[in-house]
Each structure stands twice: as C-alpha cells, then as structure tokens.
C-alpha cells in the first residue's frame, strides 16, 4: 500500500481541532455512484478542457511572456496566473488518485518548468506585474491580486507536495513565499483579495516553517484597519471595513469574505486562537441564518458580487458565484474539523450537491459563474455574469479551475477521524481504507445515495473503533433506522461502538420523502412559493418540461398535492399543478386567479440547463 | 402682460403632434398647494444648495482650471460639467418664473461669464478633456460623455433663451453646437450616453437651424450599429445593441435608454418620422407593461443601473434612479404631446408624485440617487448607491440638479392645448392665463389635490373652447362626478365644450378611496403582498411608526381590513394589521404563522425617510 496522500487541510499534530481528515487516498469512490461520475468527468473532461482553455485564452502565454518565449501584450484578467495555479492544484490532486494520467502529468511538468523559468531571481512570480507593470510591484494591493495569485501558487505547491509530484512547483512556491515573508513580515499591508492566508497556513503545515503561519495571522489581524485604498471598491468590498475579530456580519464580496474566513479558521486552529474561532462561528451563524440560498449558495447581489442585507435572497438575481459556493465548502470543512459541529457537514453536503454540482454541465466542459435559482422567461442573457446557459470559459475564469480542484480532491472530504474512531460525513458508495491506532480498517459503503437513503456499511477491523454516521439535517430524526430498528442520533451523529472483527454489515436507512420547503417569512423574494427537495437535493422546474405556450412564471402548485417519485436513474418528481392566467395589468386591484391544470415535472437543480437553454425556477408559487 | 416663456419641448409649428404645451409662465401654482410647496422649496432651498455644492465639490473649479484661474487636478466625475449645466438650466427656468431672484441671477451671470472664458477658440467646451486629456478629445465617446455634457449645456442655453436671461450661454452653446455639427455631420459616431439628441432638437426649435435637427436624427439612427467600443460596458449598457427602429424591449442602463427615447420622440415629431414614433410606442408598451415600479420608477438592477428582465421588479434592490424617473417624465411628456394618449399623462403624474417627489427630503437639501420600495431591517447603508438615508450630495451628482431643473419647470407640464381647446393634464391648485385664438382665457383651479379629489374649475373667456379634464387611470370611472352628476370620460378625458362667458365654475369630483393594489402574478419579488394607494399617491409603512421591538419585515396586513383615512394635512392611513413571529429556520418545512395584532400607519411614499433613518416598505405581506 502506497503512502497515503493527505488532502486539503492537513492539520499539524499541534492544531487544536475536534476532528482530522483522513488522507485523500483513503477513500475510493465507486465508479457507478453519483460522485464517481463527477470524479471521472472531472478527470477526463473538465481537467483536459481547463488545460486547453488556459492555453487558448493566453493565460499560459502570459507566463511565457515573462520568459521571453512569447511576445505581445498581457492577455486576460490581471490575475489570470491564478487560473493556471488552480489548474495545477487540481491536476496534483488528480495525480494523487490516478498517477497514470500521462496527459495531466505532462501539463504539470511543462507548466512547472515554465514557472521555474518565469520566477524572478528574488523569487517574485506574477506575469501581469512583471510584464505590464514592473514598477508597480506590491504598490497597489487593493486591486493587484498579487498575494491572491501567490496564494494559489502555494496551494498548488502544497497539493503537488502531498501528491508527490511536481517538486519544482514546491521549490518555486517556497522561494516566492519566503520573498513574501521578507517583504511583509514587518510591513502593514494586506491584499484586496484574501487567499494568501489559508495558503500560508497550508504551507506551514507542509513545511513546519513557522514564519508562514505568523504571516497568515498577521494578514488576518491587519484587515479592517483601512490599509487598503478604498477609492475604487469601498472598504466593505475589500473586507477592510472591520477587523475580523469584531465583525458581526458577513458582508461585501462573497468570495473574498469566505476565503478570508477559511484562512481565519486555519490560523485559529494552528495558533490556538479561541477569539478568532469565535469570530468565525459568529459570522457563520449570520451567513447561514439569513444570507444563504436554498442551494447553499452565497452572494445575493451582482453589484459588488456581494452578500446582501439579511433575508435579501432574490432567486432571479442570485449572484451565487460558483467560487463562493466552493469557498463555503472549504470554510465549512475547516469549521467541521475545528468544532466537530455536524451543521458544517450538512452545509458541505448541501452546497456540493446543489450550487456546486449545478455550476457544471453534464458534459463537464460548460460552466456557470453565477448560479441563480430562477432564470426568467425573456431573460436577457447577453451579460457574461448572467448568461442564459453555461459557457465554456469566462473572461474572468476563476470558477472552472476552482471547481476542478475541488472535484479532484473530493474524496478527501468524506470521512474524518478523532481519537476514538471515524466519522462518515458525506455519503457516497465506495471504500475507505485507513488505519486507526496503527491497525488497518476497511469500510465498504454500498448505497445509491443521494438517490436513495439506504446505506449498507461493512466494517472490517481488529481495533476498537467508534464509527460515527452523520444523520443529515434534512432527515426526519424519528424516521432513521439501523438494521430495521429506530435509532436516535445525538448531536447529528449515530455513534456506533461495536465489535467489528467479524466484518459486520450495518444497514442505515435515512428516509427520503419529498419535502415541501418554505422560505423564511422575511424572505420577500420568494414569498408565497415553495420548493421541492428530497434528501440533499433541491429540485427545480424547467421550461423544457412544460407544454408549448405555457410560461414558466404562470405555473403554480398546490403544496398538499401528492408527488410521484420517479427513479430513472436521476430521481425526478411529478405532481399536478396549474397554469395561472397572467394578469393584464402590472398592478391590478382585482384578482383573477383562474388556472388550468397541468402536470409538473421537477428535476434535481444540479441537472438544470442540460437540454435546450430556457427558463428554470426552484421556487414555485402556491395556488 | 410679459411675453410668455415657452417651457420644455416647445414644438415648432411644423411638428406633427396631437398636443402642444402652454408656456411655462401660463400656469401659476398656488403657494399653499403641494406643488406650491415643492416649487418654493426648490427655489429657496434646493437651487441655492446646488449652487453651493457645485462650488464646494469643485465642479465649478474644473471650469476655472480651463481658464487658469484655479490650479490642481480635475475633481469629481469626468462628466461633472453636466451638473453645472443642469443647474444653469434649472436657474434659467426659475428666473423665468421669479426674475427678481438676485442670488440665482448672480450665479447664472457669473457662470455664464466663466463658460465664455472656458470655451476654446474652436468652440469646444469640456473641462475634463481640456484639463486632463486634451489629446483624447472626441476619441473615446463610449465613456467620455462629451456629447452628453454638450447636450446639457445646450439645454441650459435653450432654457436661458426662452427665459430671456443669460444671453452669453446661448452664444457659447451655439458655438459648441456648430462645432459638433462640423465634427459629426458626416462621421459615423455616437456618444455612449444619450442626451445630445433631445438637446439638439430643442436647439433647432429655438433657432430654426436645420443642421441641429439633422444631426439629432443622425445620432439616433447611428445607434445600435456597434460604433461604440463595448469593451468596458457592453453594447446593451451603451444602447448600442440594436437600432432603435428595430428594438422590441427597453434594456440596459435605464437613464441612457430613457434619454434616448425622449430624443427619439423629439426627432420623430419634428421630422414627421412615423416609424420612429412607432418604435417609441412599442418600447413604451414594454417599459410600462412589465418593467415599471409601482412608484413609476425604472431600473431594476444596481448592476449596470439597468432595466431587468420582464417582471423583475425587486422592491429592496430597486435601483429606480432619480434621473431615470425624471427621464421617464420627460419621455412621457413628449409622448403625450406626440400622441395625445392620456396614459402618458397618467405616468407623468405617477412618477412625479412618487418616485420623483420621494427622491428629495422635506428640507430640500438631501437626495436619494436610488429610490427603493423597501429598505430592509439591517440594511448596510455604507454604499453610496444604496444609502440608508438621503445624502446632501453625491460623487456622481447627476440627480440633484436634474430634480432642480424639473421642479423649476414644473408648471410647464400641467396644461396642453390643441386646435380646439385646452387640456388640464396634471392637477394642482393655481391659475392658468393664456390665449386661445388670440382671445384671453383664465382658468382658476381650486383644489386640495392630491390629498382630495374635489377640483373646482372656473373658466373665464369669450372664445369658444373645449376644456379637456384628464380623468386619472387610478380613478374608478363610474365614480366621477361633474357638478354632482355622474359623467363618463372618453379616452381618459372629460371634454367640455361650454359657453364660458359667464365665468362658470365647475366642480369635478374624482373619488379617492384607498386602493389595495396587487402585483402582477409574474412579479415574484412582491408576491403575496399588497400596497396601499390613494389618488396618485403610493403609500408605505416606516419603522418609525412601529412599536419598539417590532421588525418591519414581520408586519402583515389583511387586505380586507378597513382603512382609516387621516387628513393632517398630508393624508395618512391607519389600519389593523399583525406582527408575524419570525420563522426560526431559514427554510422551514412546517409553518407557524402565529401573529399578534398591531395598528399600522402608512404615509405617502414621497414623504418617507424624513424622520430618523430606518426601514420602510411599500409592499406589505398579506395575512
């Protein structure tokens, strides 16, 4: 058995955390599971697509401009290096799991060699500033993204090191990180876009080199003191309006806020900073109490790509950026490890299976940047930030490679461990091979989850072990059964301490009735509507399933009508609904709610937009 | 009697139009009417405030930089000249009505002299490009606003000429206009921000110089052919995505779209272009059929300050820019004159009394740029485009002087004339003095409108005259009475042909019950809510009228509950409502709609935000 590859957030032994991750390679996902299709698609469709797009868009050429191999002006966004770095990270995680992929290996090696050549003698590496603005280096951090790009380079290096590939990247990243430590360890400055913080902590975890951790902590504590020039964006957008330790609300640019909070937890657990962790918990309650979409997405406003006011959650204008959903997943992973609070695993499951999974087309090569819960009839899809269908790439291409790196490392998030045992946090068919107290443990998980809530778990080990099974928050607690008998979870887990020597098979049954979900009474945007959900999946209705001549906005349902569950193999739902006759006046005084019956089909949100482009909605008006 | 001063849109004799305006000075508004308070406040509070702010903000200094009187860098937005020009226009209209105002006269004369000095030898006049980017003159029309600023200068000159003040401004504007004709009469180019079109038509009306009209037509027909560099904003934002004649939908930046459409109607009526007028009518149906707020405001998105998709009308994130409301008023005025369709007068009344009137504080010196229909509890008011209260000025200060010029010219929009008589379009207490067929006509209007629907009209004239009285669209047609007897309007007007020699007094009664208004079934953002309205006024509920501890978002009403109408002197409404207990979960499955009774007070929307800043909402959830 090869040395296990640690996945994202490989805590140091000294970290104060309730849980620790299993290695990335400990969990093997079954090919025929939903996750299995995602992982394979990521490897054979998405990653090669990203590699081609980086080349076609000129992002790699920017680095070649530094080395003199290519002429001409810098292309793409000024932070396009980060797209290369994120793809490298994704490829590294992928190679940890499928080292035989020669095409990806070739990209990694070629790009690593290019980075080596592109790096300055002092360690600086940023193609935009080197090519286009050499005199402005480090001078305009409010918009420059230099430390953001450096962070992604470092994360790529950490993944490569853990995967045992691309040693050159590690050297490059450490040289750059050392330059950054030299430059910023005693200077009051932060980057307008957080990312470096969590990267530096991961690099510290990998190297044990304390200055990286110290600088991450420094960057976090320096925020909110007006160090960033606010002229262009304002301090809230830049996460510079309040020190994190004092913040009461998530606000501003959602990706910036969530990346920052991931770094906050990283620093808190590695430096034993209870105040910092308390701030993260407080902000989590705010985010998930009043600023989260049903799909787990964040960011209510296109303007500034920002969080909104409490309960401001428009379905049609949901910005719900893919990167924010991924950031939420990463933040919740760190919160789960730090606290052991099951709610973080619940949020990881929700955002993964809805907002994140829905951001990519079935073909693995088209992406949403923004993930609304309603695409209107008559939508003007001419704007890149709210297209009518997924696009193959974006001028700001942050999302696709971000998705690729998450998917490539996905098995690393399924299972955690603590001093007494293992916890299955995210369910998928597959096998877990690890050791507890030096003794081998094998767990076989057989299930058709998330299409079905029946999960067969076979544990084989000679060591005493408490197996924790997460009971999802969507699950009616009185319906959970183990081997046919009702069981009552505690704090969101079923904790099983058994004699596993016989290779016992357990059957966990999580009931999955269709749930008719309502919005909080303060969410105006979808008042008078309900959404359908089943298991971790949110459902939606698409124009493609409506008869010609019916406008999606006129469709309504009776929430008490029976719902038929169709297994085929993605579970769809059908029910009787009605088509309201649209009002004549824009603001009528009299009501005419006449309606004609119709059969409505709902499909998982994450599958929308895979037929011809057209309107979609998650929230349906009630009759 | 002094020569009457024509107001905005003084059609040529050759124009093809159903109606013509009365002179600005024909209508005298009663001091104690609502309009009277607005006009006085504009003259004594808002205009002096604008003059001071132009000085304090450095907008006037920019022009002094051109003349060398002031050093230093250009300040404010690059199109800040237009704020000076709009204030000049407002002052000119004001001086037409109150020529004795020496303070305003002094500003006009001083600024006119400055403009004379600042104008280039060739006639060019734009402080930003002259001071900061002389080499870029006319080179970057997609963002430069050069023709936009020129348009506002021309409009100031037209107002000054009609008011018989500031002859220097007229000379300056004509020199610049002639330069623009020379420069653009045979070049394919348009400005990224429409405004020059309507200005050139007004200048043509004033001078009879045909090249101005020809160039306005040219600018309109050149739009939509991709002449503008779309890199920074995209073609829709710039109104360059489709030729106006082919456009089916209003789209993009709302102010740009509406200014353009005002110019479209101006060109259509002066060049007898039926196709162009048909395009304006088509776009009007789209705008007012699915993209208009209950307050008459336009612009559903902060992103790009833009129209949204059909029925995308969020109350909380309504951009609803003050300038767009003013532009809608101006467009509808031109549409009313062109077509005689009463719906345009209805929209002028609605937007004036709600969106426009609400943009300014009772003190006349604080302004909203954006006019939402809901300010949430917990609103983050740190962003200038969505503050929690009206601000004294803006970094982009387009709205306050725009409001000032509309208010200063308001009496010019009240009454129209056609070949057979006069039409009272907008009701206010006051007196109309004019001539029809050379014979003097005096009409005295006595009313407490809009607080009361009883209107006494005394007409004195020796000439045959048909008096048209607009019956507003909010009015139940079967309730209208004239001198106590039911009357039936035709096409929105009561047309009265009477013998007026005796100075007869008519009493028109427009019933004003409280209306419970509902949103169109496709407007998701306020589904399940109703709004209260009475006469032309939309009402709202403010936190300031709720007991401590009650959150505005928890308040709901029973639409069938009786409403008490309080006259004091602004009419407020009170009714029984209830306070829902806020849900615990963000997305609950079970409903708990328990509620406690409460008394709700609603006040006219245009008066909101005049006590301590706090939440407000127009649309109230129903029990």
């Amino acid at each position: 058995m090869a040395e296990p590859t640690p996945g994202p957030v490989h805590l140091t032994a000294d970290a104060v955390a309730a849980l620790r991750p299993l290695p990335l390679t400990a969990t093997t996902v079954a090919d025929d599971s939903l996750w299995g299709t995602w992982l394979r698609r990521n490897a054979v469709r998405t990653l090669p697509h990203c590699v081609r797009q980086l080349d076609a868009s000129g992002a790699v050429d920017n680095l070649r401009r530094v080395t003199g191999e290519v002429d001409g002006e810098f292309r793409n966004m000024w932070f396009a290096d980060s797209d290369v770095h994120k793809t490298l990270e994704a490829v590294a995680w992928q190679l940890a799991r499928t080292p035989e992929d020669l095409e990806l290996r070739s990209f990694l090696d070629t790009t690593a060699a290019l980075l080596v050549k592109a790096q300055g003698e002092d360690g600086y590496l940023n193609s935009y500033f080197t090519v286009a603005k050499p005199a402005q280096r480090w001078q305009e951090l409010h918009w420059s993204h230099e430390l953001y790009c450096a962070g992604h380079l470092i994360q790529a290096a950490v993944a490569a090191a853990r995967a045992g590939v691309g040693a050159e990247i590690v050297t490059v990243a450490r040289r750059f990180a050392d330059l950054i430590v030299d430059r910023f360890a005693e200077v009051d400055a932060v980057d307008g876009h957080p990312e470096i913080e969590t990267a530096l902590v991961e690099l510290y975890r990998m190297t044990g080199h304390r200055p990286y951790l110290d600088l991450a902590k420094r960057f976090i504590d320096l925020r909110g003191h007006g160090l960033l020039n606010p002229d262009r964006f304002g301090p809230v957008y830049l996460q510079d309006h309040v020190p994190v330790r004092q913040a009461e609300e998530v606000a501003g640019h959602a990706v910036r806020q969530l990346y920052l909070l991931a770094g906050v937890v990283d620093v808190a657990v590695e430096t034993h900073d209870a105040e910092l962790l308390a701030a993260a918990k407080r902000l989590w309650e705010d985010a998930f109490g009043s600023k989260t979409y049903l799909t787990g997405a964040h960011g209510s406003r296109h303007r500034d790509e920002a969080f909104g006011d409490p309960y401001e959650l428009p379905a049609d204008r949901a910005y719900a950026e893919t990167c924010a959903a991924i950031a939420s997943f990463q933040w919740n992973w760190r919160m789960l490890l730090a606290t052991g609070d099951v709610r973080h695993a619940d949020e990881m499951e929700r955002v993964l299976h809805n907002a994140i999974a829905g951001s990519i087309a079935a073909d693995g090569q088209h992406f949403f940047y923004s993930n609304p819960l309603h695409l209107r009839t008559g939508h003007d899809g001419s704007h890149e930030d709210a297209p009518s269908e997924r696009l193959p790439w974006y001028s700001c291409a942050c999302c696709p490679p971000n998705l690729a790196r998450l998917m490539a490392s996905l098995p690393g998030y399924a299972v955690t461990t603590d001093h007494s045992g293992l916890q299955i946090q995210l369910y998928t068919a597959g096998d877990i091979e690890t050791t507890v107290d030096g003794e081998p443990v094998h767990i076989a998980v057989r299930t058709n989850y998330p299409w079905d809530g029946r999960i067969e778990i076979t544990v084989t080990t000679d060591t005493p072990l408490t197996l924790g099974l997460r009971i999802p928050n969507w699950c009616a607690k009185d319906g959970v059964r183990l081997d046919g008998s009702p069981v009552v979870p505690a704090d969101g887990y079923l904790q099983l301490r058994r004699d596993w020597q016989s290779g016992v098979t357990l059957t966990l049954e999580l009931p999955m009735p269709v749930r008719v979900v309502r919005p909080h009474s303060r969410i105006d945007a979808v008042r008078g509507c309900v959404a359908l959900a089943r298991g971790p999946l949110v459902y939606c209705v698409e124009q493609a399933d409506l008869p010609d001549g019916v406008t999606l906005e006129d469709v309504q349902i009776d929430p008490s009508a029976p719902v038929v569950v169709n297994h085929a193999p993605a579970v769809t739902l059908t029910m009787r609904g009605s088509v309201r006759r649209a009002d004549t006046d824009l603001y009528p005084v009299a009501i005419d709610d006449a309606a004609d019956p119709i059969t409505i089909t709902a499909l998982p949100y994450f599958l929308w937009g895979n037929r011809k482009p057209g309107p979609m909605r998650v929230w349906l008006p009630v009759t």
Side-chain angles (χ1 to χ4, degrees), chain A residues 315-520:
Chain A
D316 49 2
R317 291 293 287 172
Y319 195 65
E321 186 182 336
T322 301
C323 285
I326 291 166
S328 172
F329 187 90
Q330 293 169 333
W331 179 32
N332 273 294
W333 177 236
R334 286 158 175 81
M335 292 291 280
L336 175 67
L337 299 177
T339 67
D341 185 337
V342 70
R343 295 182 301 165
H344 303 300
D346 287 334
E347 292 301 343
M348 290 171 70
E349 180 177 76
R350 168 161 75 157
V351 74
L352 173 66
H353 287 82
N354 298 288
I356 294 173
S359 72
I360 183 167
D363 70 4
Q365 302 189 338
H366 291 79
F367 310 88
F368 278 129
Y369 193 105
S370 167
N371 297 275
L373 283 75
H374 182 185
L375 188 79
R376 286 194 171 278
T377 301
H379 176 65
D380 165 17
S382 63
H383 221 304
E384 200 186 57
D385 70 7
S388 295
E389 56 187 315
R390 296 179 186 86
L391 303 179
W393 206 246
Y394 285 82
S395 59
C396 175
C398 52
C399 298
N402 213 357
L403 184 75
R405 69 181 182 133
L406 174 68
M407 284 293 170
S409 59
L410 193 57
Y413 299 101
V415 187
T416 56
T417 180
D418 65 1
H419 60 280
S420 65
L422 300 173
Q423 301 80 35
I424 304 185
Q425 302 287 0
L426 300 180
Y427 292 107
T428 175
D431 292 87
I432 303 152
E433 296 256 23
T434 188
T435 58
V436 173
D437 291 338
E439 289 292 323
V441 180
H442 176 252
I443 303 176
V445 182
R446 301 293 175 260
T447 178
N448 196 25
Y449 197 90
W451 307 120
D452 190 274
R454 180 184 170 93
I455 305 166
E456 293 180 0
I457 301 167
T458 306
V459 185
T460 312
T461 183
D462 289 330
T463 189
L465 172 72
T466 300
L467 181 65
L469 301 176
R470 174 176 146 267
I471 307 303
N473 62 344
W474 50 259
C475 196
K477 299 301 173 278
D478 56 0
V480 179
R481 288 174 173 261
L482 187 70
D483 294 332
S485 303
V487 284
V488 179
D491 296 330
Y493 294 93
L494 212 54
Q495 299 285 6
L496 306 176
R497 190 162 187 90
R498 297 276 178 93
D499 173 10
W500 308 105
Q501 292 186 353
S502 54
V504 65
T505 295
L506 312 167
T507 301
L508 176 67
E509 288 171 281
L510 303 173
M512 277 193 185
V514 175
R515 301 191 309 287
V516 177
V517 182
R518 294 165 195 279
H520 189 284

Side-chain angles (χ1 to χ4, degrees), chain A residues 186-239:
Chain A
E186 294 180 7
V187 170
D188 286 355
V190 296
D191 193 278
H193 198 314
E195 160 61 29
I196 186 75
E197 300 81 0
T198 194
L200 285 171
V201 179
E202 284 279 76
L203 188 61
Y204 159 71
R205 287 171 179 147
M206 188 185 105
T207 62
H209 188 58
R210 182 86 194 187
Y212 300 146
L213 177 61
D214 293 340
L215 185 57
K217 178 176 185 307
R218 182 174 173 78
F219 281 144
I220 282 167
D221 281 329
L222 285 174
R223 289 200 100 80
H225 295 284
L227 292 175
L228 290 163
N229 173 352
D231 281 357
R232 193 154 151 188
F233 304 101
V236 182
Y237 177 91
L238 297 167
Q239 300 295 323

